[in-house]
Amino acid sequence: MDRGGAGRRTSRARRLAAGVATTVAAALLSACTPGPASPTPAASSGTAAGPAGVSVVVVQNRTDLAGRRMQIRVANDGSDPVTVTAARYTDPRFAQAAEWAGDTTVPAGTARDLPVPIPPADCGGTAAGGIVELTYAAADGGSGVLEIEPTDPFDMVATVTAAECATAAVQEAAAITLVDELRFEGSGSAEVAILTVRVAVRGSEPVTIDEVQGTVLLQPDDGTITWPIAGTTEPGTTRDFPLRVVASRCDPHVVAEDKVGTLLPVLVTVGDGEQAQIILAASTEQRAQFYDYVGRSCGWG
């Protein structure tokens, strides 16, 4: 049974969600920014002697989201090419360093992305400010390690680590999952997919699913953009919340290029604590079912 005062809960949830929405918007802006077009900061000077005009940005492209990856973007605003053979990014918000090894030349006036797995978050670390160590070879024959403080124009690291730590806190309180089996009602353009969110509370406090947000691919069948559940699961119990889902758009390229359409943002409150956002990712099988469903409902044949 839902807790009393659902209206007050929803009002409070939406106020708290404003901050979350700002963070998510920053992440989506970063995700949708193509690599070469992102802003490049002014050249940074390292703590060790090295080639002039080299700077670093940390970003996450749209194609990085599903694979939990980010980019160490090395820009060369100098007059000569620089070859990078290793990069190591350390940040107190991460539990370990992000490391890249290879051999890539950054011509003058260009930038190169070095893909690295995103390290686990250090949820006890609050200080910001990381350092990238670049192992380089310069055109004049010099080589060494250049230390640069990277810029993060979209606050990507703060966004990623905050989301991971919020997820960890919620996971301590409850197992929140997408039930594997998808159901379908109706046919043709009237067909609706039924996706179920399951909450099993293992902690001592109740857990409330405040709302589930739609995506670029999926939305509620009533034409809105969120499922305002406001449903509470008590300690020691399990509860299912079915979502009636339809396609958000019928552009074939939306499915063909999809990276985030089956990643559902969920706003959750544990007890009387602050609201947190977690991401529920559809399984490989569920993604395939959704893509087939979108094709059927959009009449692609």
Side-chain angles (χ1 to χ4, degrees), residues 172-249:
E172 287 185 8
I176 303 177
T177 57
L178 297 177
V179 176
D180 287 338
E181 181 182 359
L182 285 178
R183 297 183 290 111
F184 299 94
E185 294 181 358
S187 61
S189 61
E191 186 177 11
V192 175
I194 311 296
L195 175 65
T196 301
V197 177
R198 177 166 293 167
V199 181
V201 179
R202 49 195 172 205
S204 59
E205 295 185 286
V207 174
T208 298
I209 301 295
D210 296 307
E211 71 176 30
V212 180
Q213 299 174 349
T215 72
V216 296
L217 185 65
L218 307 170
Q219 68 178 33
D221 68 338
D222 61 4
T224 60
I225 59 174
T226 64
W227 292 269
I229 295 176
T232 298
T233 306
E234 298 297 332
T237 65
T238 298
R239 188 174 177 187
D240 286 349
F241 299 96
L243 309 179
R244 295 179 62 83
V245 181
V246 295
S248 298
R249 298 168 59 183

Side-chain angles (χ1 to χ4, degrees), residues 13-290:
R14 294 192 181 278
R15 292 197 302 271
L16 289 170
V20 173
T22 300
T23 299
V24 172
L28 291 177
L29 283 172
S30 173
C32 294
T33 302
S38 289
T40 300
S44 304
S45 58
T47 57
V54 175
S55 59
V56 174
V57 181
V58 289
V59 294
Q60 188 177 44
N61 297 324
R62 182 167 64 94
T63 53
D64 295 326
L65 293 175
R68 187 175 167 79
R69 189 175 69 173
M70 67 182 185
Q71 306 289 333
I72 299 174
R73 180 169 298 159
V74 181
N76 179 11
D77 293 327
S79 57
D80 296 307
V82 176
T83 297
V84 178
T85 56
R88 188 174 191 270
Y89 174 40
T90 56
D91 190 299
R93 293 166 292 182
F94 288 134
Q96 62 193 51
E99 299 185 83
W100 176 89
D103 190 327
T104 188
T105 297
V106 187
T110 68
R112 293 289 185 268
D113 281 356
L114 312 179
V116 293
I118 296 177
D122 182 353
C123 296
T126 57
I131 291 292
V132 172
E133 300 172 53
L134 292 179
T135 302
Y136 71 90
D140 62 4
S143 61
V145 177
L146 185 64
E147 293 186 358
I148 299 175
E149 183 176 347
T151 59
D152 184 354
F154 302 109
D155 290 328
M156 180 273 299
V157 174
T159 299
V160 168
T161 53
E164 183 175 335
C165 293
T167 299
V170 170
Q171 287 176 340
E172 287 185 8
I176 303 177
T177 57
L178 297 177
V179 176
D180 287 338
E181 181 182 359
L182 285 178
R183 297 183 290 111
F184 299 94
E185 294 181 358
S187 61
S189 61
E191 186 177 11
V192 175
I194 311 296
L195 175 65
T196 301
V197 177
R198 177 166 293 167
V199 181
V201 179
R202 49 195 172 205
S204 59
E205 295 185 286
V207 174
T208 298
I209 301 295
D210 296 307
E211 71 176 30
V212 180
Q213 299 174 349
T215 72
V216 296
L217 185 65
L218 307 170
Q219 68 178 33
D221 68 338
D222 61 4
T224 60
I225 59 174
T226 64
W227 292 269
I229 295 176
T232 298
T233 306
E234 298 297 332
T237 65
T238 298
R239 188 174 177 187
D240 286 349
F241 299 96
L243 309 179
R244 295 179 62 83
V245 181
V246 295
S248 298
R249 298 168 59 183
C250 281
D251 309 69
H253 76 272
V254 173
V255 170
E257 300 174 5
D258 179 59
K259 302 296 181 184
V260 297
T262 57
L263 301 178
L264 295 171
V266 182
L267 302 183
V268 184
T269 302
V270 178
D272 293 322
E274 294 296 312
Q275 188 182 69
Q277 183 192 64
I278 65 172
I279 301 295
L280 292 182
S283 66
T284 300
E285 181 180 354
Q286 287 170 335
R287 285 200 304 272
Q289 288 179 303
F290 273 129

